[in-house]
Amino acid sequence: MRIDILTLFPEMFAPLYSSIPARAQTAGKVQIELHNLRDYAAAPHHQVDDTPFGGGPGMVLKPEPLAAALQSIQDEEKDKPARVIYLSPQGIPLTQRLAEELSQLPRLLLVCGHYEGIDERIIDKYIDMEVSIGDYVLSNGELGAMVLSDAVIRLLDGVIASDSAAQESFSTGILDHPHYTKPAIFEGMAVPEVLLSGNHKHIEAWRQEQALAATKRKRPDLLQ
């Protein structure tokens, strides 16, 4: 997979070059390309924003540099057109199911908004989908792009163990079961005896029961 990210702040993306995303790149599972929006703005000032028509606070990212950037980035691999995603609080929620769907695509192009957002004409012509990471507003789209990228990268074949991904929260529609490790007793709290029994059938039944109980307690909306 290739992930292109159009941003005003490429320096913010250091987390995508460490941990699991870094290992995925080293293994050739994903290629991440950062593109600075200012590189596509007209000289000499390379202005990328302007005041909104109709008045109001804040600034809006201009359509000319955005269009030039999106066209140029798409042309880098014409045989592999990217799904263009704008990170926006007005987008559809990022879920595990959506991350799984996106992980099956050969290429993504993530657009990071800033200020009051981007010119609506860019959304109408160039954006395939808007995605939100939650019902709140951030200062920019870079954090959302990192979250989406990480959620997708870890699902690529061979990046993490397939059984790990299959048993995580949301993968089965409910939350994950509790996890324990050594020591067997910590500050007077013991690991549930069933996990020490060696009876895999009983352990699996216990885990399913605990996963359902955790979902009822923490996220009952998932069961509706």
Side-chain angles (χ1 to χ4, degrees), residues 49-130:
D49 62 329
D50 211 330
T51 55
F53 280 119
M59 305 288 279
V60 178
L61 289 180
K62 292 168 59 64
E64 303 97 326
L66 283 166
L70 293 173
Q71 293 169 5
S72 176
I73 296 168
Q74 287 280 29
D75 286 347
E76 289 185 11
E77 288 196 29
K78 290 185 177 180
D79 61 332
K80 190 188 294 185
R83 173 81 62 86
V84 184
I85 299 175
Y86 172 43
L87 281 302
S88 162
Q90 297 185 18
I92 63 174
L94 175 60
T95 63
Q96 188 71 10
R97 180 169 295 181
L98 178 58
E100 291 169 356
E101 174 189 324
L102 296 177
S103 72
Q104 302 302 310
L105 300 176
R107 189 179 176 199
L108 302 176
L109 200 173
L110 310 183
V111 180
C112 304
H114 200 62
Y115 312 119
E116 294 301 311
I118 68 177
D119 190 291
E120 190 72 18
R121 291 166 291 185
I122 293 296
I123 297 175
D124 293 341
K125 185 173 182 178
Y126 293 97
I127 302 300
D128 295 316
M129 63 189 308
E130 296 182 60

Side-chain angles (χ1 to χ4, degrees), residues 5-11 34-50 59 61-62 64-66 68-69 73 112 114-115 142:
I5 303 175
L6 181 60
T7 172
L8 281 171
F9 305 101
E11 67 276 7
L34 303 178
H35 307 268
N36 193 325
L37 179 59
R38 293 191 187 280
D39 293 339
Y40 301 90
H45 302 297
H46 298 281
Q47 182 180 354
V48 297
D49 62 329
D50 211 330
M59 305 288 279
L61 289 180
K62 292 168 59 64
E64 303 97 326
L66 283 166
I73 296 168
C112 304
H114 200 62
Y115 312 119
E142 279 73 11

Side-chain angles (χ1 to χ4, degrees), residues 72-216:
S72 176
I73 296 168
Q74 287 280 29
D75 286 347
E76 289 185 11
E77 288 196 29
K78 290 185 177 180
D79 61 332
K80 190 188 294 185
R83 173 81 62 86
V84 184
I85 299 175
Y86 172 43
L87 281 302
S88 162
Q90 297 185 18
I92 63 174
L94 175 60
T95 63
Q96 188 71 10
R97 180 169 295 181
L98 178 58
E100 291 169 356
E101 174 189 324
L102 296 177
S103 72
Q104 302 302 310
L105 300 176
R107 189 179 176 199
L108 302 176
L109 200 173
L110 310 183
V111 180
C112 304
H114 200 62
Y115 312 119
E116 294 301 311
I118 68 177
D119 190 291
E120 190 72 18
R121 291 166 291 185
I122 293 296
I123 297 175
D124 293 341
K125 185 173 182 178
Y126 293 97
I127 302 300
D128 295 316
M129 63 189 308
E130 296 182 60
V131 174
S132 169
I133 63 168
D135 292 340
Y136 47 86
V137 178
L138 299 170
S139 59
N140 55 58
E142 279 73 11
L143 295 172
M146 280 185 275
V147 170
L148 188 152
S149 296
D150 185 84
V152 168
I153 290 170
R154 62 193 308 280
L155 294 175
L156 300 176
D157 287 342
V159 173
I160 64 173
S162 57
D163 56 344
S164 293
Q167 297 177 17
E168 293 176 324
S169 292
F170 309 112
S171 295
T172 60
I174 62 176
L175 301 183
D176 198 4
H177 59 76
H179 296 269
Y180 298 86
T181 187
K182 299 177 181 65
I185 298 177
F186 169 71
E187 295 188 354
M189 297 178 287
V191 171
E193 290 187 8
V194 65
L195 298 178
L196 307 176
S197 68
N199 188 316
H200 296 292
K201 183 177 180 179
H202 289 174
I203 290 173
E204 181 60 26
W206 179 87
R207 285 175 169 169
Q208 292 180 2
E209 177 184 291
Q210 292 299 310
L212 185 58
T215 305
K216 288 180 178 179

